[in-house]
Amino acid sequence: GLPIKNLTVGDFSINNGSIIWIDHSTNVRKEITEVNMSLQEVSFDRPVKLSFSALVDNQPLSINGNVGPTGQDFKQAKIPLDLNFEVFKELSLGLNGSLVNPGSNPGFDLALDLKAFSPRKLLAAMGQKLPLTTADPQALDRIALKADLKGNQAKIAVSNAVLSLDQSTLNFTLNASDFSRPNLALDLNLDQINLDRYLPPKSEKQPAAGGQTEKKPPDYAPLRKLILDGRIEIGQLIANRAKIEDMLMHITA
């Protein structure tokens, strides 16, 4: 149990804070400035209003919403939360639901809503480039995701999930348990995708011939533990200019 019976704080705030991270081994310097956080109506019995904002390398980051009431019994608690994350004016993520039993068997029951954003623009705001080159320079320019997430330390379930990637839409469910093995069940339904857009552009140069090196045999031990039951349905698939329609695959392991 908690060492205190009651807690009431009208307003708690941090104003104009700053954090500097320096990694001399990689010559990386990260600076978080203008850190402002406000907690209003802090109590075990009422929702706490959370407002957080900061500049990460001069790019804005914010978290706003409500958490709680938490109650005093964290072993059997169901803590509501409704939060919205804004990252670099490029990404907006909403989380709504609850955290369950954080003091005994931590779990969650959340609805996730990731608004459409451009990975290219997000990485540019972070001062980085896309780690891969695609044949279509307009590929990977729009991603959005909605899903219901529920789980604990023993299992995770993803339901009512809709992932949008450029002009493609994927509806899916996923259930995972016994993570040491693991045991996976999934159902994917993709309307259409052109994989040629996402592959690296073809190079006219042939790779230089080199001496043969001895390859180590692959380690299949992780695959031997895997339990899988997957259903994949694709309305239209284009790969290497070949078009496949109404494809249905059932994968078991």
Side-chain angles (χ1 to χ4, degrees):
L2 296 175
I4 57 177
K5 297 297 183 183
N6 294 290
L7 174 66
T8 301
V9 179
D11 191 359
F12 172 83
S13 64
I14 297 175
N15 299 312
N16 200 27
S18 64
I19 302 169
I20 298 176
W21 169 275
I22 302 174
D23 187 343
H24 291 291
S25 65
T26 57
N27 292 321
V28 170
R29 175 190 173 99
K30 293 293 182 181
E31 188 172 1
I32 304 176
T33 59
E34 297 187 26
V35 177
N36 294 284
M37 183 179 74
S38 172
L39 299 176
Q40 296 179 353
E41 301 180 11
V42 180
S43 168
F44 294 142
D45 306 317
R46 297 191 303 269
V48 178
K49 296 180 180 179
L50 167 66
S51 177
F52 174 88
S53 64
L55 294 179
V56 181
D57 292 337
N58 291 319
Q59 295 291 337
L61 168 69
S62 68
I63 306 172
N64 292 282
N66 299 314
V67 178
T70 62
Q72 290 181 296
D73 185 3
F74 284 93
K75 291 185 177 181
Q76 305 295 327
K78 185 175 182 180
I79 303 174
L81 60 82
D82 185 2
L83 297 174
N84 188 69
F85 300 79
E86 299 283 345
V87 182
F88 302 164
K89 294 183 179 179
E90 297 292 341
L91 184 149
S92 177
L93 170 66
L95 284 177
N96 181 277
S98 59
L99 302 179
V100 184
N101 305 331
S104 55
N105 181 25
F108 55 87
D109 188 353
L110 301 169
L112 178 148
D113 186 0
L114 177 61
K115 303 296 185 184
F117 74 100
S118 169
R120 294 180 183 274
K121 293 180 180 178
L122 178 62
L123 288 172
M126 298 170 63
Q128 300 180 20
K129 294 182 179 180
L130 204 66
L132 52 87
T133 302
T134 57
D136 183 354
Q138 302 300 318
L140 294 175
D141 196 49
R142 182 184 183 276
I143 292 180
L145 173 65
K146 285 187 176 183
D148 294 332
L149 313 175
K150 189 173 184 178
N152 53 33
Q153 295 173 309
K155 59 184 179 181
I156 295 176
V158 181
S159 59
N160 302 319
V162 181
L163 171 66
S164 297
L165 172 63
D166 296 326
Q167 287 76 42
S168 303
T169 300
L170 173 68
N171 293 270
F172 66 96
T173 62
L174 170 66
N175 290 278
S177 61
D178 197 0
F179 301 127
S180 62
R181 299 182 71 168
N183 189 335
L184 302 176
L186 56 89
D187 190 331
L188 311 180
N189 190 315
L190 179 64
D191 60 349
Q192 57 87 25
I193 192 168
N194 183 349
L195 292 181
D196 292 344
R197 298 180 60 199
Y198 301 94
L199 296 176
K202 293 183 178 180
S203 174
E204 296 180 358
K205 295 182 180 180
Q206 297 294 327
Q212 293 184 353
T213 58
E214 184 179 352
K215 294 183 178 180
K216 294 182 179 180
D219 180 11
Y220 293 115
L223 281 177
R224 294 192 178 100
K225 296 180 180 179
L226 175 67
I227 299 175
L228 173 65
D229 185 1
R231 182 181 181 276
I232 302 174
E233 186 174 355
I234 303 177
Q236 184 182 92
L237 170 68
I238 297 177
N240 198 22
R241 297 184 180 181
K243 181 186 292 187
I244 302 173
E245 294 184 342
D246 299 328
M247 181 171 71
L248 177 62
M249 295 188 295
H250 190 197
I251 305 173
T252 57

